[in-house]
Structure formats: C-alpha cells, structure tokens
Amino acid sequence: MSPTRVLVLNSGSSSVKYQLLDMRGGDRLAVGLVERIGEETSRLKHTPEGGESREWSGAVPDHESALKAVAAELAKDGLGLDSPELAAIGHRVVHGGRRFTEPTVIDDAVLAEIERLIPVAPLHNPANLTGIRTARDLRPDLPQVAVFDTAFHTTMPESAARYAIDVETADAHRIRRYGFHGTSHAYVSRETARLLGRAPEDVNVIVLHLGNGASASAVRGGRCVDTSMGLTPLEGLVMGTRSGDLDPAVIFHLMRVGGMSADEIDTLLNKRSGLIGLCGDNDMREIRRRVDAGDERARLAFDIYIHRLKKYIGAYYAVLGRVDAVVFTAGVGENAAAVREAAVAGLEGLGLAVDGELNAGRGDGARLVSPPDARVAVAVVPTDEEMEIATQTYALVKESGNPA
Ligand code: AMP
C-alpha cells in the first residue's frame, strides 16, 4: 500500500513546529515544537496521539539538531522519519513571491528561488530554508513540498496587488502586495462554504484571521481578490505587536525628527506597536480582563483594534459587492466573543449581526453565530494550517505519482 503520512514542518528563526498526519483519516499522530533553538534553554514538547506529552529542556544549538531531536521523539512512538509510511514532508514557506502560485515539490531550482526572495522576507525565508535543507539531508529520497503563505493571494487582481507608486521603482525592487496567512485563508474560506452547504465557487466570504498576527481577506468564489497584509506582514489590521496600516510619512518623521534608524523603526512597528504598544498587553484575554475592570488604556487599545477591523469589513464588503459570510478564525477570532460582537455592532444595515447566545457559546468545530434569519452569515471556523499544508502536500505527491 502506498504511504499516507505527511510530516508538516513550520521552521521559524528559533523554533520548529511539527505535526505528523495520516491522510487516510486525517488523524494527527503526533504534534510538537522545539523552541528557543540556539539558546542554552531550548525546549522540546512532543505529544503523540492519545498519549501523554513529553517535555525536554536543554541546549539545541541549531535547526539540524532540532530536527534530529524531533526525529528521535517520533521514533520512540514508532513514527520515525525512516518509516515507509511517510509519503512526504510539507514545509510552510512564508514568501513565495509571484512565482509560486501552488504548492511545489522542492528541488535545487526551487530552493534557489526561495533564497532569491530573502530580500522581501528577511525574517522568515532563511529559517524556512534551513528547515528544508535539514529535512532533505535527513531523508534525501523523500518528496519535500513547499506550501507558501502567499500562494492563495496570487489571484489578486493588479488593482489590489499594486501600490500606487512609480511602476519602474516598484518592479525593480519587487514591491507589491503579496499577502500572508494564505493557507489559513484558503482553508477557512473553503470550510465556510462547507458550513453553508454550498460550493466554494458559489460563495463570497470575508475571512478575518485574528491571531497574534492578523489579516483579512476578500474571497470571491474561492479565489482571493484582496487581502490586508502587503509586501510584508506589517500592513493592515492592528495586531498583537504590529501597527498595521499607517501613513508612510510616520517613518520619515521618526527618522528626521525622532532621530531613529531604519532598524529601530522596524522594531518599533513590528514588535512594540499594535496592542502591546497601545496598552502594554498583546493577549486579548488580558486586554478584555482589563477592559472589564475599567482600564482606560486597554479600552482604547480594544477600540482602535475594532475600529480598524470594521473598516476592513466595510472595505471588503464593497470590494466583493455581495457577501455570503463573514468568518472569524485564529486565537482571537475563534475565542473572543467580545471581538466578534464589537466588530459587527452597528452593521445591521449590511445584513450583519451576531446572536448573543450563539456568539457567547463555545464549540470545537465550525459554527454559525449569526441569527437564523440573517442576510449574511457570521461564522467561527477554527483554522488548521497544518492540515491544509498536509492536504496540499499529499495531493501533490499523489498527483505526481511520487509518494516515497
Ligand atoms: P494565534 O496567533 O492564532 O495562536 O492567536 C494567539 C492569540 O489569541 C493570543 O495572543 C491571544 O490574544 C488570543 N487568544 C487565545 N485564546 C483566547 C481567548 N480564550 N480569548 C481571547 N483571546 C484569546
């Protein structure tokens, strides 16, 4: 029988997250992560399906050691990388530029192209590449597939993808809006169609991926037509630590008047802005607790967050013309009823509302939170980027007749 397991690797600069999935029934055979790679106090947490988590702490100097440690943990459960059941390894790659519109089997030319994109994704692509190279060294015979965060957004029309700056300058530096969180937007928009009992081609959806990073997308008939992140994941919504949209002149002002360097401003906007910059907390649970306790700064941070969200809902409503569903996903979107309620408050004229009881209720799966007679569905759909990466990886290796 042909192999049916896919190992999904999400390699960050100092972490590797992984999941081993069996594509026959969608079982998660193991999940885990290695954190603080390169420090003395690296940590590995591994949870086999139906079993107890195992944790381990010590020095993991680099990604190669991290992947070897992961392989060793998997082997303890009889799920080692040498298993004949393993069909492929699927890698999350953040930036695929314009070239990668689909998941792609990795060869030397693909690696070179991902490397060529480093200038537009300096934080992410190098770590993704290290993960790929290490995995290839461990199992050179196994198909390795890159699944790009940007791919789902490559269907955006030029009118949405281009910034209104000099065309030659933009093209010389590959400056355009690429968008991110694509695997999540793809998965969630498709699951929303399923929840509505309709084909993805027939529905228009606004997806609000609200996690520590946050992005919105307008999806028409299963294809992305606009998204809020741009050249980098800094544009768009207010996020945990990122500013989202701002007047670009703020940057010149900080340079000329504030005496700050480009790197300092980069850190300010990516790490010390958004919710944490506004109120000192980036966890929505803590912010809501403070709001409920009457904290003014937390209230203002929450209001700014919601105001921006509403602007994007309105904008994407206009972009799509007809909207069948507004769907909330990721850590904040799936869990924070107060965010969902505030985001659609006052939008009854657009056919948008939440039912208080449904919205406050909890549930594991995809669910509607709008009143039964609502013109536009409001839904909560848990995202599953690993499953989407595994699904795309497996489909590709099966199609190319290439499972190991
Ligand atoms: P993610 O990036 O999708 O993992 O989302 C992480 C964020 O989700 C955290 O920083 C919290 O702000 C938020 N979050 C997680 N659980 C809850 C919850 N129960 N209520 C509100 N926000 C939550």
Side-chain angles (χ1 to χ4, degrees):
M1 212 171 64
S2 46
T4 53
R5 292 180 188 161
V6 175
L7 177 66
V8 176
L9 289 180
N10 181 351
S11 307
S13 54
S14 64
S15 70
V16 174
K17 292 188 198 138
Y18 62 94
Q19 289 197 7
L20 181 68
L21 296 116
D22 193 324
M23 302 318 288
R24 237 174 328 206
D27 288 344
R28 249 168 267 262
L29 303 175
V31 304
L33 90 159
V34 189
E35 292 177 293
R36 298 201 287 271
I37 297 171
E39 295 178 29
E40 290 297 311
T41 56
S42 317
R43 195 175 76 102
L44 183 148
K45 183 171 180 188
H46 176 93
T47 311
E49 186 183 31
E52 292 279 304
S53 294
R54 299 194 292 271
E55 288 194 38
W56 177 91
S57 192
V60 178
D62 50 31
H63 282 73
E64 189 181 339
S65 321
L67 266 194
K68 283 187 175 152
V70 170
E73 285 305 322
L74 287 167
K76 285 182 197 164
D77 302 313
L79 303 167
L81 289 193
D82 52 358
S83 162
E85 306 247 23
L86 193 58
I89 300 181
H91 296 267
R92 175 184 183 218
V93 179
V94 168
H95 215 308
R98 298 184 72 179
R99 153 96 191 272
F100 295 112
T101 59
E102 301 278 344
T104 305
V105 175
I106 298 166
D107 57 19
D108 289 342
V110 169
L111 273 180
E113 183 63 21
I114 297 171
E115 194 153 8
R116 212 174 67 80
L117 288 162
I118 287 176
V120 284
L123 297 180
H124 295 106
N125 276 25
N128 300 157
L129 276 167
T130 309
I132 294 171
R133 291 204 172 99
T134 311
R136 275 181 112 201
D137 287 347
L138 289 176
R139 275 297 304 267
D141 55 315
L142 200 63
Q144 313 254 345
V145 173
V147 178
F148 299 91
D149 265 23
T150 46
F152 184 61
H153 305 303
T154 54
T155 52
M156 276 196 288
E158 284 294 281
S159 52
R162 275 205 179 266
Y163 293 107
I165 63 172
D166 174 70
V167 173
E168 278 78 35
T169 307
D171 289 350
H173 299 287
R174 284 178 284 171
I175 293 171
R176 59 190 281 115
R177 310 191 56 255
Y178 294 99
F180 298 89
H181 292 147
T183 47
S184 177
H185 288 281
Y187 176 85
V188 168
S189 54
R190 223 179 36 241
E191 288 299 305
T192 304
R194 196 205 301 268
L195 178 68
L196 300 180
R198 294 166 67 180
E201 301 76 47
D202 295 338
V203 296
N204 292 354
V205 186
I206 297 173
V207 180
L208 304 169
H209 176 113
L210 311 177
N212 199 28
S215 62
S217 68
V219 183
R220 176 181 290 131
R223 291 164 69 86
C224 177
V225 293
D226 204 352
T227 194
S228 60
M229 284 176 167
L231 174 72
T232 76
L234 183 55
E235 189 179 344
L237 299 173
V238 176
M239 312 181 208
T241 65
R242 294 177 217 148
S243 63
D245 295 335
L246 83 176
D247 181 345
V250 169
I251 296 165
F252 319 138
H253 187 81
L254 288 172
M255 283 179 144
R256 292 181 188 134
V257 181
M260 291 175 74
S261 69
D263 284 348
E264 284 169 338
I265 300 170
D266 192 326
T267 305
L268 172 77
L269 298 181
N270 275 296
K271 304 238 161 79
R272 293 197 285 120
S273 296
L275 293 170
I276 206 157
L278 289 165
C279 74
D281 270 310
N282 63 335
D283 191 313
M284 191 53 81
R285 284 163 288 202
E286 184 57 18
I287 292 171
R288 284 306 310 170
R289 199 194 56 69
R290 285 172 56 187
V291 170
D292 291 341
D295 184 316
E296 284 300 322
R297 270 186 75 190
R299 172 90 249 167
L300 181 61
F302 185 79
D303 289 348
I304 294 170
Y305 183 94
I306 296 296
H307 180 75
R308 184 82 52 86
L309 199 51
K310 248 188 192 152
K311 288 215 283 196
Y312 271 93
I313 294 172
Y316 288 172
Y317 209 115
V319 165
L320 291 169
R322 187 203 86 219
V323 175
D324 299 295
V326 172
V327 53
F328 290 84
T329 192
V332 176
E334 291 166 30
N335 296 299
V339 168
R340 297 191 295 262
E341 186 184 337
V344 301
L347 301 186
E348 295 80 7
L350 298 178
L352 282 168
V354 294
D355 174 282
E357 215 163 293
L358 291 176
N359 188 45
R362 298 210 142 258
D364 280 346
R367 61 200 176 96
L368 292 171
V369 295
S370 42
D373 58 348
R375 194 148 50 87
V376 178
V378 179
V380 178
V381 174
T383 193
D384 195 340
E385 288 167 276
E386 288 78 15
M387 179 59 80
E388 181 68 18
I389 292 171
T391 303
Q392 292 191 15
T393 298
Y394 189 59
L396 185 60
V397 293
K398 260 197 3 193
E399 180 189 290
S400 55
N402 203 11

